[in-house]
Amino acid sequence: MIRLERIVKTFEHRLILDHIDLQLEKGKIHGIIGDNGAGKTVLVNILSGVYQPDQGTITIDGKPVRFSSPKDAIRAGIAAIHQETQIVGKLTVAENIIMGDRSGISRSTWFVSWKNMITESERILNQIHYPLDPHRLAETLNLGQQQILKVARAICSSPQVLIMDEPFTNLSEQEIKTFKEIITSMQSSGITIIYISHDTDDILRRCDTLTVLRDGQVIHSGPNSFLGSIPPIRELLPIQDAFKYPRVPTRPGRKILEITNLKTGRGVHDASLFLRKGEILGITGTLGSGKTGIIKALLGLERILQGTILLDGEPFTPKDPHHAFSHRIGYLPEDIRKDWLHEDMPFSHNLTMSNLHELHGRMALHPELEAEAARRYITSLKIKVSRLDEHISQLSGGNKQKVAIAKLLFTDSRILILDEPTKYLDSSTRIDVYNLMSKCAGEGMAIIFISTDERELKGMCDRILVMKKGTCHNFFHRKETGRSFPLDLYTAPGEEPMGQSLNSPTRGSTPQRMESE
Amino acid sequence: MNIQEENLRLVPSVVLLSVLVGAALLTAGPITGETVRIFVQSTVPYGIIAIGLYPVMIGKHIDLSQFAIADLIGALIIVGINTQLPIAMIIPLVLLLGALIGLVNGIVVARLRVHPILTTYCMSLIIKGVMFIITKGRLVYLDSLDFLQVGKSTILGIPTPVMTLLLCFAGVMYTVHLTILGRKIIATGSNGRASFFSGIRIDDVKIIAFMISGSCAALAGTMAVAASGSVATGLDLSVNLSAIVIVVLGGTDLLRKGNPLGLIFGLLLFWILERSLIQYGIDEHYQQLFKGIVLLMVILANNGFHQLLEVSRKRPGSADEQNQTLEHSR
């Protein structure tokens, strides 16, 4: 039994956890849910020794413990899979698994026994019934396999308690299924699982107990009552379905972008599409379907072998993101922490980064203009920052995404390309983002919305393009009368194999990396 | 508010600086204008090199070819003056040459993706080689000592070399902290990938940073000749490393972003340290030893102090009420 009593944690004078009391019984699955910024991740970090609480105590089986580092927590039998746990791409699967804890494989302090490392990692992978070649380089795994690798690393130290923070982000349906089986098998071997998510449906079905956090406080904690569909918890969870997709239909204007028979070096074989002002075009498809390939071509990251891009009727051959931005094509990358935000720079500097000319006075950058822009976006996007020069690294995930979007809007682009803009967001922040998209479309911007979430695509888009094996597989149009789209996106009629693909999703499904620096 | 915190990081440097200055004043007896002048003049090149290094280091790169550039430019100036070319023509030309060498450095680093340490070190070897060919391995002197008058002259009552240093400082700081280019340099150092996707041409930004460093090195070479009339001393890599130390002392390192005031403190600290060791009459053989130890201690103190600051910031209750929160009520 793990007990948390009166846990308090503040950052920068902001109260993140406000006297949290929690009891976690052994061998059960405990769910913790809440909005972005509710304090879920901080709670995990306290349990796993990354942060130390300002006040309060943690007791395990009645004995008070104090973790001054993650190592202490692991010694006490608590392992965590953090949202940000990194896989080291250039190391093998075995090395990634054994990384944290070498005690099981070697008696010597100084030397590594490679043979033991391989056998040990195979043993762990067998334990979760997920065979991976231990010699494989981690970077050749797809995201789902990498997620499982993180689990393997966490249980390497044979923990009593396993904490998983948002383990399902990025995974496909199939991978989520495998993952759930792993969780169930671990639970049956007596491991306590603490499971953090904002995907409410999922968690409600799985957990034995449920804790709901809001603004750093526990607002509900107890046995999972979802199975009986008892209303109170539903009410605590933020969203009513009807308000989820606040799309105000707009009448599309003239064609602003037209791509015909595009073929690029990698991924895209033959793609044609057009985009009109005031329209939201959804693009979806599995990994390797070429949906990001089109965008890479638009940003000049991928060589165009065939086909034309017309921008406002003029031929346009993009050279690099700078070139695209100067033609007012704005792109918001999927991984905003790596590809979009400057974590150690102030909020206001991040906001204005892509459109510095806006701030330029006669001689120098104008700090007043910058501050004014920052304040404007704080109000309109409800961004929670304590100072204009607060570093981005100190903001919560949802706020980072808002800053990212604000930065894109500040570029004053007429075409917005949003690559999975809601992936890491809780439902209330998602709605903020959808509202913004709707507003932008209403103002006449054209939006390309890349997503793999069928519901949000159907809720938000005017048209949806399904990509398959580098070609445009199917277009769906919103029905004139209703909000609904006619068909299931992924199992449309007329589906047939489109010939051999270079990117079969099973084999070469390494996430395609955008060209770096 | 952030700026103030950044400045607080310099407290250990400032304390050490004042101790050293105090001690130097107490022990050294009368300091004549002449000794100060000679001292300042001989250290101006270090300062200019460090200033040139600042944008490069903010971009998380390093330039080890500056000392060689300075040396080569010094030799070229002497050769130029000895062949009766007008100074007004020589100086712009050599500055241009410095920028050009920086351009090559930048292209190799940014476009060909060679590590900056390798690139600039090889560049320094190449430049030294060229210099040997020009001077045939002999020391070169100014035939007439007119150019030395530049070093002794004053502008608005300030010695010309010091004035050059100050202008250089102002120029670089203006560029880095107040212009679009500077913001882009900082951004590129902070997260190159994100900068690229934000529409910054990061290769160009890196190249320009190296060009600034190259031209500052050229200017440093010019000042060195104006001070001594020869390149007899032969600058070596240690000059460059000292410049790195100066920048780091000022609170900029390869991990954090820079602070304009810090550079000045770093420079002063370095000067005084160098000077006071001589003043105290410490044996020449031990000076290096002492310098190393003291510098390491200051850098450690800086870091430790920084961590102290972070801790006190995170502790609850130590709230300073002046923080106006823009946070929205929930």
Side-chain angles (χ1 to χ4, degrees):
Chain A
M1 168 99 93
I2 301 174
R3 284 174 75 107
L4 302 180
E5 279 172 288
R6 321 280 300 153
I7 297 285
V8 175
K9 182 75 190 170
T10 51
F11 283 117
E12 295 253 315
H13 319 311
R14 227 172 338 160
L15 194 58
I16 306 291
L17 293 182
D18 184 5
H19 298 92
I20 297 279
D21 289 308
L22 212 55
Q23 294 191 17
L24 303 164
E25 262 175 76
K26 287 223 159 137
K28 296 266 173 71
I29 304 184
H30 302 276
I32 300 179
I33 49 181
D35 284 352
N36 285 14
K40 302 179 303 258
T41 302
V42 176
L43 186 63
V44 170
N45 282 332
I46 283 179
L47 265 173
S48 58
V50 178
Y51 296 145
Q52 285 69 51
D54 298 331
Q55 291 169 33
T57 52
I58 306 174
T59 53
I60 299 180
D61 297 330
K63 272 176 284 178
V65 288
R66 194 164 172 80
F67 305 140
S68 51
S69 73
K71 211 160 192 165
D72 288 353
I74 290 171
R75 267 195 216 112
I78 300 180
I81 303 166
H82 296 280
Q83 253 170 303
E84 298 114 65
T85 308
Q86 294 296 321
I87 296 294
V88 184
K90 297 280 179 215
L91 294 183
T92 62
V93 167
E95 284 167 320
N96 266 295
I97 293 177
I98 308 296
M99 196 179 287
D101 182 39
R102 288 190 300 139
S103 54
I105 58 154
S106 169
R107 267 163 300 157
S108 160
T109 326
W110 302 99
F111 298 103
V112 174
S113 157
W114 298 100
K115 215 177 85 197
N116 288 353
M117 182 185 269
I118 299 292
T119 45
E120 176 73 6
S121 56
E122 271 169 347
R123 190 186 64 74
I124 291 166
L125 287 168
N126 281 334
Q127 197 182 327
I128 55 174
H129 311 294
Y130 198 88
L132 278 172
D133 178 7
H135 296 284
R136 223 168 127 181
L137 282 187
E139 63 184 1
T140 64
L141 302 175
N142 66 30
L143 287 174
Q145 291 167 324
Q146 290 191 357
Q147 196 66 28
I148 283 156
L149 186 55
K150 290 182 190 175
V151 178
R153 180 197 289 168
I155 63 172
C156 165
S157 55
S158 14
Q160 295 303 303
V161 181
L162 182 63
I163 309 175
M164 290 186 282
D165 194 357
E166 310 272 9
F168 292 158
T169 8
N170 281 327
L171 301 194
S172 71
E173 287 295 329
Q174 186 54 43
E175 285 160 345
I176 290 177
K177 228 177 121 216
T178 324
F179 209 94
K180 281 176 183 162
E181 280 160 19
I182 292 174
I183 291 176
T184 323
S185 82
M186 277 192 298
Q187 190 206 6
S188 58
S189 62
I191 297 177
T192 312
I193 290 169
I194 302 172
Y195 176 49
I196 319 288
S197 176
H198 55 241
D199 191 347
T200 49
D201 297 336
D202 210 285
I203 200 155
L204 289 174
R205 241 175 277 126
R206 286 275 142 185
C207 300
D208 298 316
T209 70
L210 206 56
T211 302
V212 184
L213 286 182
R214 179 176 289 167
D215 290 338
Q217 287 177 323
V218 177
I219 55 171
H220 170 87
S221 188
N224 186 356
S225 55
F226 178 69
L227 296 169
S229 292
I230 297 167
I233 287 195
R234 264 270 162 240
E235 277 167 25
L236 295 169
L237 301 174
I239 297 314
Q240 305 286 314
D241 230 55
F243 304 112
K244 261 190 176 169
Y245 304 110
R247 179 71 210 280
V248 182
T250 46
R251 188 178 295 256
R254 62 188 164 79
K255 279 183 195 173
I256 192 169
L257 175 74
E258 196 166 3
I259 297 174
T260 19
N261 300 108
L262 184 77
K263 180 177 164 67
T264 68
R266 276 181 305 180
V268 182
H269 304 307
D270 182 15
S272 303
L273 60 89
F274 65 87
L275 182 67
R276 290 170 296 188
K277 277 171 78 93
E279 174 180 61
I280 301 181
L281 169 69
I283 301 185
T284 187
T286 49
L287 214 58
S289 62
K291 65 177 192 296
T292 44
I294 297 182
I295 305 309
K296 281 194 206 170
L298 263 177
L299 294 172
L301 301 174
E302 200 71 86
R303 219 151 57 87
I304 296 171
L305 300 177
Q306 267 172 39
T308 49
I309 299 175
L310 292 183
L311 194 65
D312 265 336
E314 305 272 320
F316 172 59
T317 315
K319 286 188 293 210
D320 56 11
H322 175 85
H323 193 209
F325 269 112
S326 61
H327 283 76
R328 296 176 64 199
I329 300 175
Y331 170 64
L332 176 67
E334 177 181 348
D335 189 344
I336 53 164
R337 303 160 70 117
K338 227 163 94 195
D339 297 340
W340 189 239
L341 295 178
H342 295 81
E343 299 245 340
D344 58 351
M345 288 179 74
F347 157 69
S348 55
H349 291 196
N350 266 283
L351 176 72
T352 55
M353 189 64 74
S354 287
N355 195 6
L356 287 167
H357 291 277
E358 191 93 334
L359 308 176
H360 209 267
R362 194 179 302 154
M363 292 291 287
L365 289 172
H366 221 296
E368 252 324 296
L369 286 177
E370 188 161 43
E372 190 197 309
R375 279 190 215 102
R376 204 166 65 229
Y377 281 99
I378 286 174
T379 326
S380 67
L381 270 68
K382 305 196 201 75
I383 302 171
K384 284 181 194 166
V385 289
S386 40
R387 307 186 311 251
L388 293 185
D389 58 0
E390 180 162 8
H391 283 194
I392 291 295
S393 53
Q394 281 154 2
L395 301 182
S396 72
N399 268 320
K400 278 183 194 165
Q401 188 71 34
K402 284 184 180 175
V403 175
I405 293 173
K407 175 176 165 185
L408 181 70
L409 294 180
F410 190 71
T411 60
D412 197 24
S413 297
R414 51 193 176 158
I415 298 178
L416 304 180
I417 304 171
L418 307 172
D419 195 349
E420 298 280 8
T422 59
K423 195 171 223 170
Y424 302 97
L425 301 181
D426 65 60
S427 28
S428 69
T429 318
R430 271 174 182 234
I431 291 183
D432 290 343
V433 173
Y434 296 143
N435 269 316
L436 267 170
M437 286 169 63
S438 188
K439 186 163 158 261
C440 291
E443 285 166 6
M445 293 178 205
I447 299 176
I448 295 180
F449 181 26
I450 302 171
S451 171
T452 44
D453 183 339
E454 199 173 323
R455 282 169 303 175
E456 70 175 9
L457 284 170
K458 284 181 173 173
M460 294 303 298
C461 299
D462 296 300
R463 288 179 301 139
I464 301 170
L465 161 64
V466 181
M467 293 289 295
K468 203 159 198 179
K469 295 176 180 172
T471 54
C472 295
H473 183 60
N474 228 326
F475 269 103
F476 293 96
H477 297 263
R478 185 186 284 281
K479 273 185 180 165
E480 293 285 319
T481 47
R483 297 178 70 85
S484 65
F485 278 84
L487 297 162
D488 189 351
L489 292 185
Y490 294 102
T491 54
E495 188 173 3
E496 54 195 36
M498 308 291 281
Q500 279 301 314
S501 159
L502 295 171
N503 300 304
S504 72
T506 42
R507 211 188 87 261
S509 48
T510 343
Q512 296 176 351
R513 300 261 156 75
M514 288 283 184
E515 195 71 34
S516 83
E517 316 192 6
Chain B
M1 232 151 290
N2 230 4
I3 295 292
Q4 281 174 8
E5 272 166 23
E6 290 280 318
N7 288 345
L8 276 177
R9 291 194 59 212
L10 296 170
V11 169
S13 305
V14 177
V15 170
L16 182 74
L17 183 69
S18 22
V19 169
L20 286 173
V21 171
L25 286 176
L26 285 176
T27 53
I31 294 174
T32 63
E34 185 64 8
T35 55
V36 170
R37 196 188 60 76
I38 290 172
F39 166 62
V40 167
Q41 217 175 46
S42 63
T43 38
V44 158
Y46 284 79
I48 298 182
I49 284 183
I51 290 167
L53 197 59
Y54 181 70
V56 174
M57 280 184 66
I58 284 196
K60 302 273 194 302
H61 283 315
I62 212 150
D63 186 352
L64 296 178
S65 65
Q66 289 174 302
F67 74 94
I69 298 177
D71 232 9
L72 173 71
I73 296 298
L76 286 179
I77 287 180
I78 292 171
V79 172
I81 290 176
N82 288 352
T83 51
Q84 308 292 319
L85 287 173
I87 290 174
M89 197 175 99
I90 296 173
I91 290 183
L93 274 181
V94 293
L95 290 184
L96 196 67
L97 180 64
L100 268 179
I101 298 174
L103 178 75
V104 176
N105 274 334
I107 288 175
V108 174
V109 170
R111 292 268 156 79
L112 307 180
R113 323 234 155 147
V114 181
H115 195 282
I117 290 182
L118 297 179
T119 310
T120 54
Y121 186 67
C122 291
M123 180 56 84
S124 75
L125 295 181
I126 294 170
I127 296 170
K128 280 285 186 187
V130 171
M131 198 180 139
F132 264 108
I133 295 169
I134 292 174
T135 62
K136 304 196 175 58
R138 279 168 298 184
L139 304 179
V140 284
Y141 302 94
L142 283 175
D143 290 343
S144 83
L145 295 182
D146 294 345
F147 191 61
L148 286 184
Q149 290 310 312
V150 176
K152 287 180 184 139
S153 65
T154 59
I155 300 170
L156 303 172
I158 300 169
T160 311
V162 177
M163 196 61 178
T164 316
L165 178 84
L166 289 178
L167 285 177
C168 211
F169 177 78
V172 168
M173 287 307 146
Y174 168 77
T175 313
V176 171
H177 290 283
L178 292 172
T179 64
I180 291 181
L181 172 67
R183 185 64 69 76
K184 287 179 176 173
I185 292 177
I186 297 173
T188 307
S190 156
N191 183 346
R193 261 179 87 89
S195 306
F196 175 70
F197 280 111
S198 305
I200 295 173
R201 294 205 155 127
I202 53 175
D203 289 359
D204 297 2
V205 169
K206 288 176 191 168
I207 291 171
I208 291 173
F210 275 104
M211 288 174 73
I212 294 175
S213 150
S215 22
C216 280
L219 198 58
T222 314
M223 288 301 122
V225 173
S228 66
S230 75
V231 287
T233 47
L235 302 173
D236 63 15
L237 192 57
S238 71
V239 175
N240 238 119
L241 297 180
S242 307
I244 293 171
V245 169
I246 291 171
V247 180
V248 174
L249 273 179
T252 311
D253 57 33
L254 290 164
L255 298 171
R256 287 192 210 95
K257 71 187 178 70
N259 174 346
L261 269 181
L263 196 57
I264 287 278
F265 278 118
L267 194 54
L268 282 176
L269 190 60
F270 189 78
W271 279 346
I272 304 288
L273 185 60
E274 190 118 308
R275 195 63 205 154
S276 51
L277 287 176
I278 300 168
Q279 295 273 8
Y280 297 149
I282 290 171
D283 187 338
E284 206 182 322
H285 300 99
Y286 289 95
Q287 278 182 19
Q288 296 270 340
L289 179 72
F290 274 101
K291 210 158 83 177
I293 292 173
V294 172
L295 281 177
L296 190 60
M297 273 163 37
V298 177
I299 290 167
L300 284 177
N302 262 342
N303 285 351
F305 194 75
H306 180 63
Q307 271 154 19
L308 266 181
L309 274 182
E310 298 242 299
V311 170
S312 72
R313 229 190 316 156
K314 279 185 181 160
R315 194 177 300 142
S318 69
D320 51 328
E321 297 302 320
Q322 295 151 344
N323 277 5
Q324 310 146 327
T325 25
L326 293 163
E327 193 176 347
H328 285 258
S329 52
R330 295 187 175 119

